[in-house]
């Protein structure tokens, strides 16, 4: 079903269109929310809240910008509100302390070796179609990204998962394009540092 | 030697390639191992990040969300209740008309028919405005009498009307109600 048709149907109050839109975007919304709030349950709650807001506010969406830009603006603001309420503050400086902690090494513990507990159960649920090596790579990457500040984590997620351009991310986060570019650059640098603690980049690529 | 490439210039290179750089910076890059190494590392992480896939959310998230919204899950059911309400409404309406045609009420009707005859006799004396006023008050009286005599039917009729109205309002204005 065409996304544009779904939006028209949703504007007419059709709930089945909301369900279809959710199927299309919920994993992406959840992934971005998870970068910001860092925990599965609140990220799921935020995902629900986002789609409730979409349902209520769909008439305020004008086709001037992409639907996903509008959607992820809601996601970003909902997450910020959540963090404000919980008074959670992540800062750039937290990265350095994270890098020095042994939990980074523990969280990135090996490509081949697998154990009884894995946060992948929490994050990924059951994924059948991805090979185990690829699966591990996803886990390693997401855990490494979660060591970054939430701003860098969100920018990287929007850029690589949702494939937004820098200007679209700038619109979503209400931040100048050059700041987004700088954060993207530093995010990659920080990620490299986190990954190089355990692997060579060639090994992962 | 010119200055090293800054973050924005490296970002430009990652996004658009070597041609995006100014000729001075492109020339610098050729002679500067440090800048080339920085770009290479960025490109490595860049290609790694391209492999990222979204994480999966719980499958029943939409159902959980519906509980939050407290709204009916399927529109189809709403449409059926609307049709049933409409049929019942018509059925009751017809029933009321039919039951009003009993012999007893027919006699009452016959007695009532004498009223226009009485008016015929006085047609010269009474003006039409007065007749209309009279007719209107009789109509009101009979309507009130009907309502009092058929309380239950009126109640059912009214309830069905409310159901139908709710469905019309819900369909057209749900988005405003749930704001
Ligand atoms: Zn240089």
């Amino acid at each position: 079903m065409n996304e544009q048709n779904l939006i028209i149907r949703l504007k007419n109050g059709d709930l089945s269109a909301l369900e279809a839109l959710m199927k299309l975007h919920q994993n992406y919304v959840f992934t971005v929310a998870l970068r910001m709030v860092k925990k599965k349950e609140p990220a799921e709650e935020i995902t629900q809240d986002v789609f409730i807001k979409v349902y209520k506010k769909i008439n305020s969406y004008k086709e001037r910008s992409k639907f996903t830009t509008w959607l992820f603006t809601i996601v970003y603001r909902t997450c910020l509100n959540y963090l404000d309420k919980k008074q959670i503050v992540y800062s750039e400086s937290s990265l350095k302390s994270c890098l020095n902690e042994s939990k980074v090494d523990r969280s990135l513990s090996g490509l081949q070796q697998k154990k009884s507990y894995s946060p992948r159960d929490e994050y990924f649920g059951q994924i059948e179609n991805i090979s185990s090596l690829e699966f591990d790579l996803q886990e390693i990457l997401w855990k490494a990204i979660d060591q970054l500040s939430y701003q860098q984590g969100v920018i990287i997620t929007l850029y690589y998962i949702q494939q937004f351009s820098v200007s679209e991310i700038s619109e979503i986060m209400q931040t100048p394009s050059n700041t987004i570019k700088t954060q993207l650059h530093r995010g990659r640098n920080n990620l490299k540092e986190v990954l190089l603690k355990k692997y060579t980049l060639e090994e992962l690529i | 030697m010119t200055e090293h490439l800054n973050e924005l210039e490296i970002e430009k290179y990652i996004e658009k390639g070597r041609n995006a750089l100014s000729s001075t910076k492109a020339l610098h890059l050729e002679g500067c191992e440090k800048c080339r190494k920085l770009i290479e590392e960025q490109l490595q992480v860049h290609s790694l990040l391209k492999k990222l896939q979204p994480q999966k959310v719980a499958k029943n998230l939409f159902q959980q969300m519906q509980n939050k919204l407290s709204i009916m899950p399927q529109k189809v059911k709403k449409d059926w209740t609307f049709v049933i309400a409409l049929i019942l409404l018509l059925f009751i309406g017809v029933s009321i008309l039919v039951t009003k045609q009993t012999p007893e009420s027919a006699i009452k009707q016959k007695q009532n028919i004498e009223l226009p005859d009485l008016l015929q006799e006085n047609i010269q004396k009474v003006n039409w405005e007065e007749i209309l006023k009279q007719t209107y008050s009789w109509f009101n009286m009979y309507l009130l009498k009907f309502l009092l005599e058929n309380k239950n039917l009126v109640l059912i009729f009214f309830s069905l009307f409310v159901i139908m109205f709710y469905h019309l309002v819900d369909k057209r204005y749900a988005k405003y109600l749930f704001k």
Side-chain angles (χ1 to χ4, degrees), chain A residues 12-35:
Chain A
N12 290 322
D14 185 349
L15 261 186
S16 64
L18 181 68
E19 188 176 9
L21 277 171
M22 260 186 98
K23 275 184 186 162
L24 277 176
H25 298 291
Q26 63 180 5
N27 288 338
Y28 296 91
V29 170
F30 172 69
T31 305
V32 172
L34 198 52
R35 295 291 76 68

Side-chain angles (χ1 to χ4, degrees), chain A:
Chain A
M1 174 61 75
N2 178 295
E3 189 179 79
Q4 201 55 41
N5 288 341
L6 291 174
I7 291 164
I8 292 165
R9 277 170 51 197
L10 188 59
K11 283 187 175 181
N12 290 322
D14 185 349
L15 261 186
S16 64
L18 181 68
E19 188 176 9
L21 277 171
M22 260 186 98
K23 275 184 186 162
L24 277 176
H25 298 291
Q26 63 180 5
N27 288 338
Y28 296 91
V29 170
F30 172 69
T31 305
V32 172
L34 198 52
R35 295 291 76 68
M36 288 185 75
V37 302
K38 312 277 184 188
K39 286 178 183 170
K40 186 194 162 200
E41 283 78 18
E44 280 185 349
E45 262 190 39
I46 286 168
T47 306
Q48 288 181 21
D49 289 348
V50 163
F51 283 100
I52 290 171
K53 283 179 185 171
V54 167
Y55 180 65
K56 287 177 181 174
K57 295 180 176 178
I58 190 68
N59 283 295
S60 71
Y61 165 64
K62 309 291 175 220
E63 282 76 9
R64 284 192 298 268
S65 62
K66 265 162 62 179
F67 173 72
T68 44
T69 311
W70 181 75
L71 174 68
F72 280 91
T73 306
I74 297 176
V75 176
Y76 185 66
R77 286 180 192 166
T78 309
C79 289
L80 283 184
N81 285 342
Y82 173 87
L83 295 176
D84 278 350
K85 276 182 197 162
K86 298 276 172 187
Q87 295 185 315
I88 298 169
V89 180
Y90 295 106
S91 66
E92 291 277 337
S93 61
S94 68
L95 176 71
K96 281 182 183 169
S97 59
C98 281
L99 286 171
N100 294 327
E101 282 174 23
S102 61
K103 71 175 183 180
V104 175
D105 291 70
R106 285 207 307 277
S107 71
L108 303 169
S109 60
L111 268 171
Q112 293 84 16
Q113 206 181 0
K114 283 279 108 194
K115 45 340 52 229
S116 56
Y117 168 76
S118 163
R120 74 178 183 187
D121 301 328
E122 197 183 334
Y123 277 3
F124 289 85
Q126 293 197 340
I127 300 176
E128 291 106 16
N129 299 328
I130 303 173
S131 73
S132 74
L133 188 66
E134 200 177 343
F135 191 82
D136 290 340
L137 178 65
Q138 294 296 317
E139 184 183 335
I140 288 163
L141 286 178
W142 283 124
K143 285 190 79 67
I145 289 166
D146 282 338
Q147 304 299 317
L148 311 179
S149 69
Y150 83 79
Q151 288 96 336
Q152 289 177 2
V154 167
I155 291 169
I156 284 177
T157 309
L158 291 173
Y159 191 83
Y160 287 100
I161 291 291
Q162 197 61 43
Q163 292 175 350
F164 280 122
S165 67
V166 167
S167 63
E168 284 167 334
I169 298 172
S170 149
E171 189 184 331
I172 290 167
M173 296 177 77
Q174 294 289 295
T175 307
S177 287
N178 280 351
T179 311
I180 301 293
K181 284 179 189 171
T182 308
Q183 290 297 315
L184 193 57
H185 179 85
R186 291 180 190 172
R188 281 196 217 101
N189 261 348
N190 292 333
L191 203 60
K192 182 198 75 190
E193 281 186 55
V194 174
L195 292 170
L196 286 179
K197 278 192 163 264
K198 196 72 189 174
Y199 314 102
T200 64
L201 290 178
E202 289 81 5
E203 188 181 5
L204 291 169
I205 291 165

Side-chain angles (χ1 to χ4, degrees), chain B residues 1-5 28 32-36:
Chain B
M1 194 176 182
T2 50
E3 278 182 31
H4 292 301
L5 270 69
H28 169 88
C32 180
E33 197 170 335
K34 190 187 172 190
C35 282
R36 281 206 307 274

Side-chain angles (χ1 to χ4, degrees), chain B residues 115 119 126-142:
Chain B
L115 286 170
L119 288 171
V126 184
N127 68 38
W128 283 106
E129 198 181 325
E130 200 57 36
I131 294 168
L132 279 172
K133 277 182 187 171
Q134 277 289 333
T135 316
Y136 182 66
S137 66
W138 285 334
F139 174 75
N140 276 351
M141 204 174 71
Y142 281 122

